[in-house]
Amino acid sequence: MGGTFDLGLLADLASSLQSFVRAFVGIYVPLIFAYVLLSWIRLPYSGIAAAVQRFLDEVCRPYLNLFRGRIPTLGPLDLSPMVAVIVLLVAAGLVNRLIEALL
């Protein structure tokens, strides 16, 4: 009886971890897109817009800086955010498969 409880607990933990990874990526990818869009568009200054831009900068820039300078640009287009999103999606898929394989 104790063995099935432990297996059920591990299955629940794995499911929770997979849900967390999916939720994290589901939130982080749109934040990256918002960061890129707001870098192209100059909004009129307001306290709320400045706070949103500061938040996006603090959340997205460290991850995007891992790719900047390593990925060549196409004229004025910086491809590093696109590569960063692809790497994030692939990594999330690999992590979820790894979690599933461990059970």
Side-chain angles (χ1 to χ4, degrees), residues 30-44 49-50 52-58 60-61 64-65 68 76-82:
L31 288 177
I32 291 173
F33 283 127
Y35 175 79
V36 170
L37 286 176
L38 287 178
S39 72
W40 292 344
I41 301 168
R42 295 290 164 216
L43 298 175
V52 168
Q53 286 179 327
R54 212 170 25 253
F55 170 77
L56 289 173
D57 188 54
E58 290 176 4
C60 297
R61 182 178 282 186
L64 293 177
N65 280 344
R68 287 210 172 112
L77 290 178
D78 182 14
L79 299 177
S80 60
M82 225 178 351

Side-chain angles (χ1 to χ4, degrees), residues 73-98:
T73 60
L74 289 176
L77 290 178
D78 182 14
L79 299 177
S80 60
M82 225 178 351
V83 172
V85 167
I86 291 169
V87 167
L88 184 64
L89 292 172
V90 168
L94 290 174
V95 167
N96 276 340
R97 284 193 201 121
L98 180 64

Side-chain angles (χ1 to χ4, degrees), residues 9 15 17 22 24 31 35 45 51-52 61:
L9 186 62
S15 175
L17 285 174
R22 280 191 296 272
F24 177 79
L31 288 177
Y35 175 79
Y45 181 79
V52 168
R61 182 178 282 186

